[in-house]
Structures are given as structure tokens and as C-alpha cells.
């Protein structure tokens, strides 16, 4: 199993092997938000695994959703004189002071999975996914999959007004723009939950002639997709065949559905933010060459062709 | 007759909401039989209303004692998490049901003890479990969505008996059982007495503490049933989201049902209709095809209208109008509004 | 400050009506510099309304107010304070969760550069309280201190705010003897400093311990005002009750045949600290024990003890020769007791429920929730009592809150009659109800007595007690002072006994 984890990590961390030996004696502090979701837990696990493989001494601090805890942890890291600091920021503002302190102590800071509102001179780089791109990858898959056939899509949005809901919708719409055979017939919020995803999908099916007119459902996260799959089954239709299912996040449960042929594609929000971060850090420490201010993680597409059962087994161990 | 008069505002509101949705969504009212079970948006409303309807049954009794139970959503999460854990552990269905109901009962007894024995304010007493309960549920599931594959337990959420979906059967039976127990015994009268005037009731020998604990216990049991239904429905326990904010919908259902938050007279049937009204709005909004940004505004506006029409001031004005128009057509048929309720039997 | 004894605050011809009901009718009050003035009267006499008018909380309808000879017109409590008139209400008007210093200076904190100067506030508070002989930490929250200390802090704040006149509404209601003495010593000192104090209290002992003058109100009129030396206790009580004792006719009730055997209900050394001193009471079937006493004498507290609402901490109870415990109304009801409380609205009726439901409530509670009284049965019960007691309107489904006071009282009596009681305790059964219902309730009491029910009736209507009681227990200062029997039961003897101080009884 460990081997598969390594392979997954390697997929996004390009020059990992080359840099491993070099960073043998690095100490890095990591201020994590907490463990509010399965994805967050997986990010922590992957970061620890990455550090272990590279021989980095990782000092981990769980902020339990509080910025004051994060700032306290970062000050602690500065006092300990670590070589670098990773922060998964819980909010976007209020970081200037503590980042200045790190800069004065000459400790590079790398942000993970979220951007902040602060001068970019205060941190080395930010490693995040591109939510618009995620939506686009999902849309591109659908465009390719349906070809020229007409396709009525229903969309399960995330929580109304949240940035993943706005961006993932935008990216998907960009992908299907110019393909007039694909139309979004209905779009409603499923609040990122299974229960609401199922309830909203039920109403879509009723509203669209018992679901026979629906060609695909696009869900802003896998949990809503899992709920939608159940709604489709209970309406007497076959998810994955009668109605295609494409979603984002790549949490383990969607791979079970894919293995059963009930889901078609998912776009990974990789929990491996630390890999690219460590790469950039090691390159920076080696020849003082600052990386770009934004490192975009790969939004990998998984389909039924990618041995979903094996991916499920690999992911299951990450703490999702 | 008296009963029908009590329920009239709620029934009228439900019919109006359904009528309004039908205008926006043609074919909304059609029901067919598909795969041996009832099928249609009306059926969906009854199924999706199950959690709030169940919570509203217990909440009605709690509110009748001049209390409030904010913890029911969290209790749903706890019982759902425990049920899912047991199901994933391949425990027999009977064990799952009994243990889950037992946990719900224990949560209710805890709330009741805080309110009745320690005399904490109900809103504070139940806030404790509302906050802590979700944490407990997360501990049980380990922070993830705990999934299972067990047709027997899933039947509670998505099965059907004689063509009627199980969640509907469960809330109908629960409402019937609680309603009968409360009204066929003296529990209902004594709960109302305690809610109106706890001191006076205690002075005539009403065991107010026992009754208050009983109300919260029933609320806990109802929350356990609701928790199992939502868990069975998605084949998994989502500690973060199961029952989230449903306590507010349950309170709203009771209020729409005309039970006063200051305790006393209650009607479980009216609260159940209140739950159906709320779900009809939810389903109607989903069916309408409007952008989700409008969901909350439309729902809030509809509820404001319903509650305004039910307010005593408007009710008096309406019956005044009726009296005016009535006396225009049939002279001497004027009836003082104050007596209307007393006369109906 | 004016010399001691000069008239300071003068109210003349004060009128006040609420909803066309006159609660004050031409009331006068004269307060002199450096005196403690007791304002007395039974419930509803108008004491609180008068105080509220004098302290700016209410507007008067007519009359004049003069302070040191000048006409004043306080439109709010703040204005009254600015005129040097301060008040401490019965429920201490301080905030428990703030500190002592904050309570003293709330709304007028010393400022420095626009900020509260906490250091000065603390120092001021310490100095102020030292004058009252209190050594309390100004930074401690108020809730850390006893009610007596809080009372003194409230007085200190009021005096500091106003300075010349202080109104105290029942300042000693919840204090024990030692604490009362502490508060009184402070009041005496304030008097010596020239402050004028008006005190409302129900404890006559305390009036004679501290007051210089007494003004008595009854039914919204000033019925007497005199120096304490000119108003012996007996005369004071007659003033408060409103009767000319000499003119009283002596009536005796119809002699009742009461069996001479051991009493069915025997209370021995029964009492509760802080409520009623231990007393003995025997109650036989077919007799009415009357309880007479002023407000605050322990009369309602006696009823609460007998019915198990307050738990006795001394003494024993025997019913039919067997010892029993009375630790709750449920216990008392199981022994066949019934209780009509004085506070009909808060303790008696269940307002939103119908007359029928109110009538069956006690019986239903005794049977338990699992054995319901069916609709037919309850309707029959309700209709029976509506007819028997002439409850109007005769509609069993009408919410009881829409009935008049007298009819509510009848329904509450019906509630207990439905339980077929052996002992009925009635606290002021005829207060605040119309004449017709009044007479009917007295007839009912007599009828129940003839039927062999044992009754304990508390009443401030002395004639009533004389008319139907076979024995009258007189209470004063939370003590069962005397038990009158036979020819002793007449208005004069009862009033004399009520006027006696606790110490004089022995």
C-alpha cells in the first residue's frame, strides 16, 4: 500500500528523488488548521509522509480552527529557529505582523492550499489548487465524453456564495462554452452534503421528466455526487450509464462508486500540497532562487479506467 | 369540529403553498406508482419532511411545557453516528435500533434533568448538548463520513412498505402513537397545565418535574428516529452535517402549527402540518428552477406571510371583515370573535 | 442643611387613578428633616403608588409637592435624584454581575481623558463605604456579598446620588435579626446626619424600633399620621384595619358541635426557620380554624407549611393518630388536603385552560397521568360544580382567564371539592371578589363545615372569622401568638391580640 501512496505523491512531486538526499537535515514547522474534514486529515498525513521520505524533521501544530493558535505556533517555530515554515491559513487576513517577524528572522514561509491578503514579499510562495481549473477539467471530460450528442446537464452547486462553488461553476461553464450540444438545464445548491445532494437530485429527476432527459450530473464535490447516485438508483435509473456522474475532490468513496460503474469521473483536489512546497523550498535553499509566488497543484482527472479500486485502497489509508 | 377549527389555518396554509408551487411547476401534484411504490413530488415532500416532522413531534411537547430543545439536531448526529458504527460492525438490526433509541432517550433524559431538576433555562440547558453533541458524533465517526452497505438498515431510509416509503410510515406512526398516548392519557392536559402555570400546577399536585423530563425524553426518542432515517437515507453518518440547523426548522414547524412558544395549548397534528408546509416550500423552491441565491429569501418571505396571517391581530381583523361582509348579506348573524373558540365543539 | 425637625418634603392632596380606579385620594404626607417616617398600610392601600409619585416614577393627577418650601415637579427618577430625593426599591436595584464600585458609580463614573478613571472610582468607593462602616472590596462583584451588605450598598448609592430624602421599600424583608440591626444602625446614623428617611415595612416591631413618625394609608386615603409615642400599637392596628373598636358589635357564631375526641390533624412544634416559628395546631372535622394576622405576620407562610409547599424543619404531623410526613403538595393531597392560595392569578388558576380543565386538574393530578378522567366524566364534574357553586358564565369550555375573580375563586374551590377533601386550607378566599360571590363563598365554608370537612381559613376580614370560626389563631411577627376560643372570638379581642408584640404574649 505504501508503494501506491508513493506513486500518488510522485505523480505531482516531480523531482522528488533528486532532492531527497540534499535536504537531510532540514527542520520545518507546519501550522495546520485542524482536522475539520477528511481531506484536511489526508493533507496532514501526506505532509508527514513527504517529510519523512525527504528526511525532513517536521514540527506539527494543530490550530483547531483558530488563527491565534496559528500565530502562536508560527512564533514558536521562529523561536526554535526552524529552517522554514508551512502555514495552511485558516483566514485570509491578519498575517502581516507574524510574517514580518519570520522575514526578519530570515525564515522562508510557504502557504498551503489557501491564499492570504498580505504583500507577497512576506512569503516565499503559495501552493494551492486552481478551483476554476478544477471545474474546467470536469467540463472538458464531459465535452470529450459526449462528443457531438446533445446533453442536458444538471448541476449540484456547493454552498451558495462560497468560493469553491463560484469557481467550480465558472470553470465548468468555460469548458462547455462553445459546445451548444451541452446545456445546464438545472442548477441548485446541495450545500456540499450527501443529504442535500440526494434531495436536490430527486427534485431534478422529478422536474426533468423522471430523469430520462438528464444526460449528466455535475457535482461540485464528491459527497453530493454520492447522494445524487443514490437518488438516481432509487428513481430506477442507472447512475454512470443512464445519467453520467462527474464531480470534484477525489475522496475515497467516489472511487468505490466508480469501481461499481456508478460514477464516471472525478477531479482530484490533491492532499499533497507539501510535495511541491518542499520542492520549491529545497530549490530555494540550494541556490537562493526564489520560486514563483504561486505554485498551482495538479488537478488530476480520474476515470473508471484508472483502476478506481486500487486508488480507493491507497486513499483510504490517508485519513480521509 | 373543534379539532378541525383548530387546524384550519395550517391546512389552509398548506393548500395555498401547494397551489402556489403548482402554478410555478405544472404536474407538481401528480402521483403515480412506480416500481411498486408511490412516486411523485408530493411523496418526496412527505419523505423529506420526515426528520423535521419527527423532531416537531417531540418539540411540540417540549415547547408546551414552556421549554425548547435546541439539541435535537446534534442528537440526530449522535444517534446516526452510533447506528452507522453498529451497522458497519454487522450488528443485528434489532440491536442497532434499540441502542440508537436508547442513546436518544438518554440524551432526552439528560436535557430533562438539567431543566427540571437543576432548573437551568431550557435554552441554555439544551444548548450544552447542541454544541457538545456534534463533537461527540465526530468522535464516534472519527471525523469522516462513516459509510456502510446494509440493505436491512438502509430500508429505514429508502425502503417502502405497501408502496409507502418507510420514512413517511415512521413519522406517521410516531405522530399517531405519541398523539394517542398524550391525548388518551392525561399527559397532554397535565403538560399544558405545567406549561401555562407551573407553580399553580405544582400546588395542585401535578408532578411537573416528571412531566418536563418526559417531554424532553420523547423529544430525544424522536431525534433518534430522525437520526436513523437520515443515516439510512445516505448509507452513511455525516457527523458534521446530519441534522444541522434542523432544530430551528422543527421549532418553526411547531410555531407554524400554532403552539405558542410561551407554553400551554399544543397540537401535534398542527405541528406535523407545519413540517409539511416547510418541506413543501423547500421542494417547491428546488422544483421551480430558480437560482439558489433566492432559496432563503423565498422561503423566508413565504413563512412571514404564513405567520402574519396566523397572528392574533390579523385573525381578529379577518374575522371582523367576515362579520362585516356577513352582516351585509345575512343580517343579525354577527358573532363576537371572542366567543368563537369557546362555542366550537 | 436645615435644622432638625423643620418640614422638608410636603405632599398635599395627592390624587392618582389607574383606568378610572382611584388608588390615591387626597393623600397628605409631611416629612421633617432628620426623621425616620414609617409609611404603613395593608396590601393595596396605595403605599407604593405614593412613593412612586414622590420619587418621580409616576405622575400625580392632582395635589402639590413641596421640597423645603419650594414647589417641585419631578418627572423622572433621575429628576427626583437631582432634587436630592433617592429611592431603594424592594428588589434591590443593583446589578449582581458588576463590581461594588461599578454599582456605586454606574452611569456617573469618574472620567479621565474621556475614559473611566477606575483608580479614582475604586478610591471613591472605598471612602464612601467606609463611612457606612463597611469594609468591602470595591473590585469584588456584588454577588459575592450578602443581601444585607447589598442593601447597604444600595442605600449608600441612593444617599450619595440624592442626599436629603431617602425612600426605602421593605428594606428588611429578607434579612435576619442581626442584619436588620446592622441596616437600622446605619439608618440611625444617617438620621443623625440630617437625612430624612421614609420606610415602608410590614414588621410592626421594626416600626417601633426605628421610626419617629407613622403615616397610615388605607384604601388610597391617609387615615392617620402621628408621632410614634402618640400611636400605641393597638391604635395603629385599628387604623390599618379601619375599624373603631369601641363601636364593634360582639357577635358569636352559631355554636358548632365538634367532637371532643382527639383531633384528626395534629401538628406539633411545627415550624420552619425564617418562615414561621414552631407552633401547635389541632384541627378537627367539622370545625373552622380561623387565622388572623397582618400581612407579613406569617399567615400565608403557615398555610404553605401545612400544605407541604415549604418543608417544615421542626415538628411532627399526625393524621388520625398516625405520624406522616408532608414534604410536598403531592404528600398533602394524598392525605386529603386541599389549598386555595391567596395569589389566585399566579398560584391558583391555570389561565389558558378551560373552567372544566381547571376543575378536574387536582383530581387528575392525584389519579396520575395514566388514569385519565374521560371527557364525559370531566364534563359531568364541571357541570355539577358550575351548577352547585353558580359559576358564571356556565360554560365549562371557556378559558378560566375570562372569568371574574369571584367565579375564578369558585372554580378553584370546585377543583378541591372534586377531590373530596378532608382538610381545606383557604388563604384569603374572599379577597378581591364582588359582594355576591363573597357571600356565596362564606355560605360554602359554613356548608362544608357542617358536612364535616376540616377547614383552616386565613382572612383579614375579622367579621368573617368571627362568623364562622370555632377557634381563631392570632399571628404576629411570624409567631402563633394566641388561640382564641368561645367568647374570646370577637373583633375587639382579635384586634387586640394582633396588636400585641411577640414579646408581650408570654
Amino acid at each position: 500500500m505504501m508503494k501506491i501512496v508513493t506513486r500518488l505523491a510522485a505523480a505531482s512531486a516531480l523531482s522528488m528523488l533528486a532532492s531527497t538526499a540534499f535536504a537531510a537535515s532540514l527542520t520545518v514547522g507546519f501550522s495546520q488548521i485542524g482536522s475539520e474534514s477528511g481531506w484536511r486529515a489526508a493533507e496532514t498525513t501526506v505532509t508527514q509522509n513527504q517529510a519523512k521520505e525527504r528526511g525532513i524533521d517536521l514540527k506539527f501544530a494543530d490550530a483547531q480552527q483558530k488563527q491565534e493558535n496559528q500565530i502562536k505556533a508560527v512564533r514558536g517555530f521562529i523561536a526554535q529557529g526552524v529552517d522554514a515554515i508551512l502555514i495552511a491559513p485558516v483566514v485570509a487576513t491578519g498575517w502581516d505582523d507574524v510574517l514580518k517577524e519570520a522575514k526578519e528572522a530570515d525564515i522562508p514561509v510557504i502557504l498551503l492550499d489557501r491564499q492570504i491578503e498580505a504583500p507577497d514579499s512576506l512569503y516565499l510562495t503559495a501552493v494551492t489548487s486552481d478551483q476554476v481549473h478544477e471545474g474546467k477539467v470536469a467540463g472538458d471530460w464531459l465535452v470529450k465524453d459526449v462528443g457531438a450528442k446533445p446533453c442536458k446537464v444538471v448541476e449540484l452547486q456547493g454552498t451558495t456564495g462560497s468560493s469553491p462553488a463560484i469557481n467550480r461553476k465558472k470553470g465548468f461553464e468555460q469548458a462547455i462554452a462553445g459546445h451548444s450540444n451541452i446545456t445546464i438545464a438545472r442548477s441548485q445548491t446541495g450545500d456540499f452534503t450527501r443529504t442535500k445532494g440526494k434531495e436536490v437530485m430527486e427534485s431534478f429527476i422529478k422536474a426533468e421528466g423522471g430523469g430520462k432527459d438528464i444526460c449528466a450530473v455535475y457535482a461540485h464535490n464528491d459527497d453530493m455526487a454520492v447522494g445524487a447516485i443514490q437518488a438516481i438508483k432509487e428513481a430506477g435509473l442507472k447512475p454512470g450509464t443512464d445519467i453520467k456522474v462527474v464531480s470534484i475532490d477525489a475522496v475515497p468513496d467516489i472511487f468505490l462508486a466508480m469501481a461499481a460503474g456508478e460514477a464516471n469521473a472525478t477531479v482530484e483536489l490533491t492532499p499533497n500540497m507539501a510535495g511541491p512546497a518542499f520542492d520549491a523550498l529545497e530549490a530555494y535553499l540550494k541556490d537562493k532562487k526564489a520560486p514563483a509566488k504561486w505554485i498551482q497543484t495538479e488537478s488530476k482527472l480520474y476515470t473508471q479506467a484508472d483502476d478506481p479500486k486500487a486508488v480507493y485502497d491507497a486513499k483510504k489509508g490517508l485519513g480521509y | 369540529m373543534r379539532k378541525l377549527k383548530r387546524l384550519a389555518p395550517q391546512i389552509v396554509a398548506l393548500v395555498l403553498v401547494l397551489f402556489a408551487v403548482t402554478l410555478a411547476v405544472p404536474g407538481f401534484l401528480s402521483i403515480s406508482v412506480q416500481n411498486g411504490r408511490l412516486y411523485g413530488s408530493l411523496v418526496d415532500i412527505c419523505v423529506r419532511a420526515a426528520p423535521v416532522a419527527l423532531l416537531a413531534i417531540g418539540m411540540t411537547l417540549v415547547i408546551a411545557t414552556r421549554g425548547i430543545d435546541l439539541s435535537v439536531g446534534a442528537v440526530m448526529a449522535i444517534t446516526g453516528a452510533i447506528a452507522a458504527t453498529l451497522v458497519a460492525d454487522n450488528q443485528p438490526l434489532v440491536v442497532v435500533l434499540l441502542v440508537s433509541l436508547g442513546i436518544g432517550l438518554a440524551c432526552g433524559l439528560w436535557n430533562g434533568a438539567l431543566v427540571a431538576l437543576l432548573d437551568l433555562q431550557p435554552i441554555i440547558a439544551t444548548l450544552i448538548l447542541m454544541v457538545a453533541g456534534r463533537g461527540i458524533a465526530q468522535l464516534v465517526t472519527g471525523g469522516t463520513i462513516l459509510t456502510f452497505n446494509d440493505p436491512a438498515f438502509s430500508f429505514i431510509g429508502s425502503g417502502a412498505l405497501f408502496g409507502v416509503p418507510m420514512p413517511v410510515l415512521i413519522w406517521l406512526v410516531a405522530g399517531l402513537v405519541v398523539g394517542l398516548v398524550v391525548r388518551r392519557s392525561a399527559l397532554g392536559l397535565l403538560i399544558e397545565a405545567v406549561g401555562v402555570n407551573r407553580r399553580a400546577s405544582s400546588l395542585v399536585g401535578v408532578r411537573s418535574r416528571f412531566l418536563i423530563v418526559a417531554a424532553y425524553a420523547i423529544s430525544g426518542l424522536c431525534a433518534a428516529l430522525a437520526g436513523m432515517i437520515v443515516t439510512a437515507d445516505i448509507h452513511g453518518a455525516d457527523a458534521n452535517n446530519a441534522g444541522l440547523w434542523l432544530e430551528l426548522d422543527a421549532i418553526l414547524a411547531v410555531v407554524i402549527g400554532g403552539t405558542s412558544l410561551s407554553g400551554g395549548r399544543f397540537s401535534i397534528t398542527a405541528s406535523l402540518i407545519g413540517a409539511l408546509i416547510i418541506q413543501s416550500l423547500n421542494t417547491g423552491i428546488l422544483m421551480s428552477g430558480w437560482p439558489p441565491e433566492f432559496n432563503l429569501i423565498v422561503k423566508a418571505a413565504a413563512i412571514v406571510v404564513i405567520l402574519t396571517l396566523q397572528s392574533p391581530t390579523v385573525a381578529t381583523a379577518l374575522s371582523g371583515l367576515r362579520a362585516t361582509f356577513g352582516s351585509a348579506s345575512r343580517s343579525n348573524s354577527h358573532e363576537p370573535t371572542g366567543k368563537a373558540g369557546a362555542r366550537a365543539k | 442643611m436645615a435644622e432638625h425637625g423643620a418640614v422638608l418634603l410636603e405632599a398635599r392632596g395627592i390624587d392618582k387613578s389607574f383606568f378610572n380606579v382611584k388608588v390615591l385620594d387626597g393623600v397628605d404626607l409631611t416629612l421633617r428633616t432628620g426623621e425616620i417616617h414609617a409609611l404603613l398600610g395593608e396590601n393595596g392601600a396605595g403605599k407604593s403608588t405614593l412613593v412612586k409619585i414622590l420619587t418621580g416614577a409616576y405622575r400625580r393627577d392632582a395635589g402639590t409637592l413641596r421640597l423645603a418650601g419650594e414647589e417641585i415637579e419631578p418627572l423622572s427618577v433621575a429628576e427626583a435624584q437631582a432634587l436630592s430625593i433617592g429611592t431603594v426599591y424592594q428588589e434591590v436595584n443593583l446589578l449582581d454581575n458588576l463590581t461594588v464600585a461599578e454599582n456605586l458609580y454606574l452611569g456617573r463614573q469618574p472620567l479621565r481623558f474621556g475614559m473611566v478613571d477606575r483608580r479614582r472610582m475604586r478610591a471613591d468607593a472605598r471612602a464612601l463605604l467606609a463611612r457606612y462602616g463597611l469594609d468591602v472590596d470595591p473590585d469584588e462583584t456584588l454577588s459575592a456579598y450578602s443581601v444585607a451588605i447589598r442593601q447597604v450598598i444600595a442605600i449608600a448609592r441612593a444617599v450619595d446620588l440624592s442626599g436629603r430624602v431617602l425612600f426605602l421599600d421593605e428594606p428588611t424583608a429578607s434579612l435576619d435579626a442581626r442584619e436588620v440591626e446592622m441596616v437600622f444602625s446605619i439608618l440611625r446614623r444617617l438620621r443623625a446626619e440630617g437625612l430624612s428617611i421614609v420606610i415602608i415595612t410590614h414588621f410592626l416591631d421594626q416600626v417601633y424600633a426605628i421610626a419617629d413618625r407613622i403615616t397610615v394609608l388605607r384604601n388610597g386615603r391617609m387615615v392617620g399620621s402621628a408621632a410614634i409615642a402618640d400611636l400605641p400599637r393597638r391604635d395603629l392596628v385599628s387604623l390599618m384595619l379601619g375599624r373603631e373598636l369601641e363601636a364593634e358589635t360582639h357577635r358569636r357564631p352559631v355554636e358548632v358541635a365538634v367532637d371532643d375526641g382527639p383531633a384528626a390533624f395534629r401538628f406539633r412544634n411545627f415550624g420552619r426557620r425564617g418562615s414561621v416559628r414552631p407552633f401547635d395546631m389541632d384541627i378537627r372535622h367539622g370545625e373552622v380554624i380561623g387565622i388572623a394576622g397582618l400581612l407579613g405576620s406569617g399567615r400565608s407562610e403557615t398555610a404553605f407549611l401545612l400544605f407541604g409547599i415549604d418543608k417544615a424543619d421542626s415538628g411532627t404531623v399526625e393524621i388520625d393518630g398516625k405520624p406522616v410526613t408532608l414534604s410536598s403538595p403531592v404528600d398533602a393531597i394524598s392525605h386529603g388536603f386541599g389549598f386555595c392560595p391567596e395569589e389566585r392569578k399566579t398560584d391558583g388558576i391555570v389561565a389558558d385552560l378551560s373552567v372544566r380543565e381547571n376543575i378536574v386538574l387536582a383530581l387528575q393530578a392525584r389519579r396520575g397521568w395514566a388514569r385519565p378522567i374521560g371527557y364525559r366524566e370531566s364534563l359531568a364534574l364541571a357541570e355539577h360544580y358550575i351548577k352547585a357553586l353558580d359559576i358564571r358564565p356556565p360554560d365549562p369550555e371557556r378559558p378560566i382567564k375570562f372569568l371574574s375573580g369571584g367565579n375564578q375563586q369558585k372554580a378553584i374551590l370546585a377543583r378541591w371539592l372534586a377531590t373530596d377533601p378532608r382538610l381545606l386550607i383557604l388563604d384569603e378566599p374572599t379577597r378581591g371578589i364582588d359582594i355576591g360571590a363573597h357571600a356565596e363563598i362564606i355560605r360554602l365554608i359554613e356548608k362544608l363545615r357542617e358536612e364535616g370537612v376540616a377547614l383552616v381559613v386565613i382572612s383579614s376580614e375579622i367579621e368573617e372569622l368571627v362568623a364562622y370560626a370555632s377557634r381563631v389563631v392570632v399571628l404576629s411577627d411570624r409567631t402563633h401568638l394566641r388561640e382564641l376560643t368561645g367568647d374570646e372570638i370577637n373583633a375587639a379581642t382579635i384586634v387586640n391580640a394582633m396588636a400585641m408584640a411577640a414579646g408581650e404574649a408570654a
Side-chain angles (χ1 to χ4, degrees), chain B residues 78-90:
Chain B
I78 298 176
T79 50
I82 288 183
T85 311
L86 294 172
V87 170
D89 196 33
N90 291 320

Side-chain angles (χ1 to χ4, degrees), chain B residues 143-159:
Chain B
T144 64
I145 299 181
L146 197 62
T147 54
F148 52 82
N149 206 346
D150 180 277
F153 186 70
S154 300
F155 189 78
I156 295 173
S158 41

Side-chain angles (χ1 to χ4, degrees), chain A residues 36 38 157 160 186-189 193-195 198-200 202-203 205-207 210 223 230 234-236 253 319-320, chain B residues 34-35 39-41 44 48 143-145 147 158 233-235 240-241 279 282 285-290 292-293 295:
Chain A
E36 76 278 7
Q157 298 184 29
T160 308
R186 283 180 176 262
S187 181
Q188 249 298 344
T189 176
T193 69
R194 289 190 186 199
T195 308
K198 185 174 180 184
E199 178 179 355
V200 175
E202 280 174 0
S203 75
I205 292 170
K206 300 285 181 323
D223 278 332
Q230 285 170 18
E234 282 168 24
D253 281 347
Y320 269 108
Chain B
Q34 203 164 316
N35 303 330
Y39 181 89
S41 289
D44 279 359
R48 290 291 151 205
T144 64
I145 299 181
T147 54
S158 41
D233 181 41
I234 60 165
H235 306 199
N240 281 316
N241 296 307
Q279 189 56 44
N282 286 342
I285 289 166
L286 292 181
M287 298 289 289
S288 67
W290 291 324
E293 288 79 4
N295 289 5

Side-chain angles (χ1 to χ4, degrees), chain C residues 74-154:
Chain C
L75 295 178
S76 69
V77 176
E79 282 191 34
Q81 279 171 358
L83 290 165
S84 78
I85 300 170
T87 328
V88 175
Y89 291 105
Q90 189 169 0
E91 299 297 326
V92 178
N93 43 347
L94 298 179
L95 301 166
D96 283 354
N97 51 347
L98 296 188
T99 69
V100 171
E102 285 166 339
N103 266 295
L104 283 171
Y105 294 104
L106 191 66
R108 51 183 188 123
Q109 296 95 333
L111 296 182
R112 191 159 179 254
F113 309 127
M115 307 279 279
V116 175
D117 184 352
R118 302 197 72 89
R119 187 201 302 260
R120 210 183 107 205
M121 192 163 88
R122 265 199 296 278
D124 288 357
R126 205 180 287 280
L128 179 64
L129 294 173
R131 298 224 312 270
Y132 289 83
L134 279 192
D135 181 25
V136 303
D137 178 0
D139 282 337
E140 187 64 75
T141 52
L142 193 68
S143 55
Y145 294 104
S146 70
V147 177
I149 300 223
R150 282 185 234 178
Q151 190 68 256
V152 175
I153 291 171

